[in-house]
Amino acid sequence: MLVLLLLHLVAALLAPLLVRWWGPRACYPLALVPAAAFGWALARTPTVRAGGAVVETYDWVGQLDLDVALRMTTLSWLMTLLVGGVGALVLVYCGRYFAPGAVGLSRFVAVLVAFAGAMLGLVLADDLLLLYVFWELTTVFSYLLIGHSTERRSSRWAAAQALTVTTLGGLAMLLGFLILGAHAGTYRWSEIVGGPLPGGGTLVAAVLLILAGALAKSAIVPFNGWLPVAMAAPTPVSAYLHAAAMVKAGVYLIGLLAPVLADAGPWRPVLLTLGLVTMIVGGWAALRQCDLKLLLAYGTVSQLGLLAVVLGAGTADTALAGVAMLLAHALFKAALFLVVGIIDHDVGTRDLRDLSGLGRRAPALAVVATLAAASMAGVPPLLGFVAKEAVFAALTDRPLVLAGLVLGTALTVAYSIRFLWGAFATRPDVPRTEPAPAALPMLAPPALLAVAGLVAGPAAAALDGLLGPYAALFGPPHEKLALWHGPTPALGLSALALAGGALLHAVRGPLAPVLARLRSPVGGNQGYEWATHRFDRLAIEVTGATQRGSLPLYLGTILLALVLVPGAALLSTSPWRTRIVLWDTPLQLVVGLVTAAAAVLAVGARRRLTAMLLVGVTGYGTAMFFVLHGAPDLALTQFLVETATIAVFVLVLRRLPERFSARPLRRSRWARRLVGVGVGAVLAGLALVTAAARTAGPISTDFPALAVAGGYGRNVVNVTLVDIRAWDTMGEVSVLVVAATGVASLIFERSRTGPRPRRAEPSAPRADGRPVWLRGGATLHERRRSIVFEVVTRLLFHTVVLFSLFLLFSGHNAPGGGFAGGLVAGLALAVRYLAGGRYELAEAAPVGAGTVLGAGLAVSVGSGVVALLTTGTVLESVKIDLPVPGLGGPYLVTSLFFDVGVYLIVVGLVLDILRSLGAEVDRHIEAAGKSEHGLVVDHEGDRR
C-alpha cells in the first residue's frame, strides 16, 4: 500500500515533464498508476471476501506515537477500486479531452494524479490523524483542480468556496478526532473498533465535530452550496472528484465510523434529518436546471443525501444497501459527467435548450447515457435498481424516513428523464445539433462504467458475498442483494417512485412556475456569499476601530496587556521573597547601569539617529553580559547582530525625518518610560518565577557530552545549531529567506536578480597617476567621499572576508560558525557599500542576492537529504577522518556543509538588504534628483 502511495507521488512529480514531452497523450501512461491501485485491490479480493484485512504499518513520528498505519477492509477495498478504476479511466479520457498545448495542462495532470494518491491514502489510513492528513491533501488538490482556469473569476471563486467550506469542516473534524482519540486511548481505528468505547458528553461532542467535517466534504445541507458552484472545474474533474472520489470521502467516513458511533446520541438524528433534506432539496433543484452539468451536480447533492441516510442508519441491512448504492452511484454518475464532457467538447454547449436530435446523430453516446441514467433512476436490471430496492427494504421499520426516500427517488427519476430528454431528444423548435464524432478514448471510459452498472445488476448475488463482511460489522443482515426478490413492498415502492418520476416529467410544463417559486429563500451559494460578506464587513469594522495607524499605540496596548494580566498574576507569587543575587562582580553592575541608562535615554531622545544609537548601546550591553558570564560565542553573535542592525537602521533612517515629531511629547515620554519600567519588572519577575518553578532537570545539561559524542565538536552552541537542533535552524533559515524576499519585493520596482548597476566612469587609474582605491568611489559626489575610508576599506575588506571564513570553519570547536561568519562577511560588504556606494557593492558582489540565498538554502537542505540517504536520519552528522600525515589525525564533520548553507543564507540576506534598503533606495533618490533637474535616467540609474 505504501508503494502505491509513493508511486502516485513519483508519477505526480514526473507528470509535468511527461506532458511537456508528449502533450495530453502523457495521460495514457500516467493512467497506469491508478490502474495499478485498482489491480492491486482486485488481487486482494479473496482476502476481503473472507472478511480479512490487509495491514501495513511503518514508523513515522515515534515521539507522538504516530505511525503510517494502512489497513484495507471491505469498505476501503471498494473505495480503492473506485478511486483507482475511475481515476485511470478519467486520465485516459483527459488524453483526448484536452487539446495539445492547453494552458496549465502540466499542472492539471500532476495535481490530478496527486489527488488520486491522496484519496487512496485517505481510504487506506487506519490512524485517524493520518486520515486527516490525507483528508486535507484532497482539499488542497481539489482547490487547485477546481480553480484550474485561473483566468476566469467564476473558477477562482468556486475553488475558494470549496476550500473554505471543506477546510472549516476539516478543522472541526480534526478537533473531533483529537477528542475521540483521547477518549478511546488510541487513534488507531482498528483498535477503537475492537475495544469498548465509553459514552458520555465527550463522545457526543466528538461525534458532532466529526460529522461536521464529513457533511461539509460531502455537500450535505447546510454545506451543499459549494458543490454546484464547483462545476466551474473541467468536466474530468467533476467526473472524478464529484462523482467517485472527493465527495465520497464524507460518506466513506460515515460508513467507516458507523459500526462504532451509530449508537451515539446525535448520530442518527443528524444524519437521517440532514440527509433526507439534502436528497429532496437537491432533487428539486435539479429539475430547474438547463445546464446538463449543473443538473448532474444537484443530482449528486441529492444522491449524497441518500448515501448519508443509508450509511448513517447504522444497521446491517442499511449498511449492505449503502455500500451497494455507493458503488452504483460512482459508476452511473461518473459516466454521466463524462458524457456531458463529450457533448460540451463536440457540440460546444451544455444547455439543453440548445440541443436537439443528438440521440440520432450520436447513437452510441445516447446508449451509454441511457444505461447510466437508467441506473441512476433505479430501472431494472441495472445496479441502481438493486441498490435502491435494498435501501427501501432496509428502512421499512422507519416509515417517515422511507416516505422521504421514496419522494427523493421520484425526483431522481424525474431529473434522470430530464437529462436524457434534454440531451438527446429531438425538438422541432430547436435547430438540429451537429456533433463532431466522439473519439474512442473519450467514449470508452463512460461506456465501460455504464456497462459495469449493467453487469453488476444481474451479478448482485456475487456482489452480496463481496460486500457482506462490511454489513456483518453491524450484525447478521436480514436482506440480501438480488435482482429479484419477488413481489415485495420494496419492489412496489420502486415502481411507485418510477411512476412518480415519470409523472413529474410529463407535467414539466405546468410544473415550471411551481419549480420557479418553490425554492429556498437563501440558496447555499447565496448563504456563503452572505456569510463571507458579513465576515469581510466585520473585519473592516474591527480594523477601523482598533487599527488607527499608530505603531506606538499598537505596541503600547500589547505591553500594557502584558503588564496588567501576567503582572497581576505575578503579584500573587511574591517573587521578591526569593533570595536574589544582584551581581557576581562589580563589572556586571556597571554594565547593567550603562544598559539601563541607555534604555531610559532612548525613550526621551528626539532625534531618530540618537535613539537608534542608544538602543544599540543596550544591545552591546547585553553582549557584555554574555562575556561576563563566560559565553563568548553568544557574545560574538550578539555584537555582530547589533552592528548589522545599526547598519540597517542607518539605511532606513535616510528616508525618514530627522526628528520623531515637532509636537511636545513630554507627557508621552514619561508614559513610555513608565510602560518600559513596568514591562521590565514583569519580565524580570516572570524569569525568576519560571526559573524557580522548574521541577525536572534541563536537557541542556546533556548537550556538552552530546555535542562531542554525536556532533564531534566542542563548541556546544554551534553544534546545537547544526546538529542537535538542526531542524530548528532549518526552519529559521527558511524564514530568513522568506523575509529577505519580502523586503526585496517591497523595495524593488524590477527583478532583483537582474543586471547589476553599471559604472558611468571607467576603472582605469586617474589621470594624475594616483591609484583608484575603490572603483565605485569615483561615482560618488565629492561631499560623500572619504579617501581615508576608501583606503581602509580596500586594505581590510579581504582580510575581514578571510576572517569570516575562519569563523565558519573553526566554529565547530571554537567561537564562530556559519551564522557569525556570514554576519562578518555581510558587514564587510556593508562597509564596502558605505565607502563606495551602490556601484562599489556591485563590484564587491557581482551576483544576485536571490542566487546566494537559494544556493545557501539548497546546500542546507541538500546536506539533510544526503544524510537521510546515507545514514537514514535527516541532518545526521558523520565524522570523516582525513588521511593527512603529520597533522595529528584531522577530520571533517558533515554538519559543516549545513553550516556553509547557513553562511551563504546570512550573506545573501545582508546583500539583499544592502541592495534593497541601500542601493535601490539610492537609485530612487538619484532618479528623483535628476528628474527635478531635467536629466534623463535609464533603467540602471546611469546618467546620459
Side-chain angles (χ1 to χ4, degrees), residues 414-463:
Y415 65 70
S416 299
I417 299 175
R418 178 177 176 82
F419 177 86
L420 293 176
W421 170 79
F424 299 101
T426 300
R427 290 188 288 280
D429 55 335
V430 179
R432 294 292 181 92
T433 302
E434 299 294 337
L440 181 62
M442 291 184 68
L443 185 60
L448 286 174
L449 293 169
V451 170
L454 175 63
V455 172
L463 194 62

Side-chain angles (χ1 to χ4, degrees), residues 744-745 747-757 838 915 919-920 923-924 938-941:
S745 65
I747 302 298
F748 279 88
E749 298 176 351
R750 57 204 171 133
S751 173
R752 63 174 175 170
T753 58
R756 305 274 70 80
R838 63 192 183 99
R915 288 232 169 97
E920 189 69 7
R923 193 180 70 84
H924 293 172
D938 66 8
H939 288 292
E940 302 300 333

Side-chain angles (χ1 to χ4, degrees), residues 16 61 119 161 210 259 366 379 396 435 445 541 554 692 776 826 939:
V61 186
M119 192 68 202
Q161 182 173 347
I210 293 172
V379 175
T396 52
E541 292 177 356
Y554 303 156
H939 288 292

Side-chain angles (χ1 to χ4, degrees), residues 212-255:
L215 298 179
K217 197 79 162 182
S218 287
I220 305 298
V221 170
F223 309 108
N224 58 309
W226 71 265
L227 181 54
V229 178
M231 293 302 107
T235 301
V237 173
S238 303
Y240 192 36
L241 274 67
H242 306 140
M246 177 181 170
V247 295
K248 290 292 195 304
V251 293
Y252 163 77
L253 184 63
I254 292 172

Side-chain angles (χ1 to χ4, degrees), residues 640-832:
L640 293 173
V641 168
E642 199 63 43
T643 304
T645 303
I646 292 175
V648 172
F649 265 109
V650 170
L651 295 177
V652 174
L653 290 180
R654 296 180 301 163
R655 302 293 284 173
L656 295 176
E658 180 182 357
R659 295 177 179 271
F660 284 107
S661 175
R663 297 179 292 109
L665 297 175
R666 180 170 300 177
R667 292 183 179 179
S668 64
R669 289 194 190 100
W670 280 108
R672 293 173 185 179
R673 290 189 182 100
L674 291 176
V675 171
V677 171
V679 171
V682 168
L683 290 179
L686 290 175
L688 288 173
V689 171
T690 52
R694 178 184 293 276
T695 57
I699 61 173
S700 58
T701 56
D702 299 327
F703 279 16
L706 187 61
V708 175
Y712 310 104
R714 294 186 298 275
N715 183 353
V716 181
V717 174
N718 183 258
V719 174
T720 300
L721 292 176
V722 300
D723 184 283
I724 300 175
R725 302 194 66 173
W727 271 115
D728 292 350
T729 306
M730 180 71 75
E732 291 162 1
V733 296
S734 301
V735 171
L736 281 178
V737 173
V738 174
T741 303
V743 170
S745 65
L746 292 174
I747 302 298
F748 279 88
E749 298 176 351
R750 57 204 171 133
S751 173
R752 63 174 175 170
T753 58
R756 305 274 70 80
R758 300 188 304 269
R759 291 177 292 105
E761 290 79 5
S763 58
R766 293 172 52 175
D768 56 8
R770 289 183 295 173
V772 177
W773 292 98
L774 295 180
R775 292 182 178 183
T779 64
L780 297 178
H781 193 278
E782 291 297 332
R783 288 180 300 177
R784 292 184 57 192
R785 294 191 64 184
S786 170
I787 299 300
V788 175
F789 195 11
E790 292 182 17
V791 172
V792 173
T793 302
R794 175 68 178 270
L795 294 176
L796 295 182
F797 175 77
H798 299 90
T799 303
V800 174
V801 172
L802 287 175
F803 178 63
S804 74
L805 294 175
F806 169 77
L807 292 176
L808 167 65
F809 288 102
S810 67
H812 215 60
N813 292 289
F819 188 77
L823 284 174
V824 170
L827 289 173
L829 292 173
V831 171
R832 191 85 174 258

Side-chain angles (χ1 to χ4, degrees), residues 580-593 625 628-629:
I580 302 173
V581 178
L582 296 178
W583 60 81
D584 296 321
T585 66
L587 286 177
Q588 293 177 350
L589 175 61
V590 173
V591 173
L593 292 175
F625 277 121
L628 296 175
H629 282 82

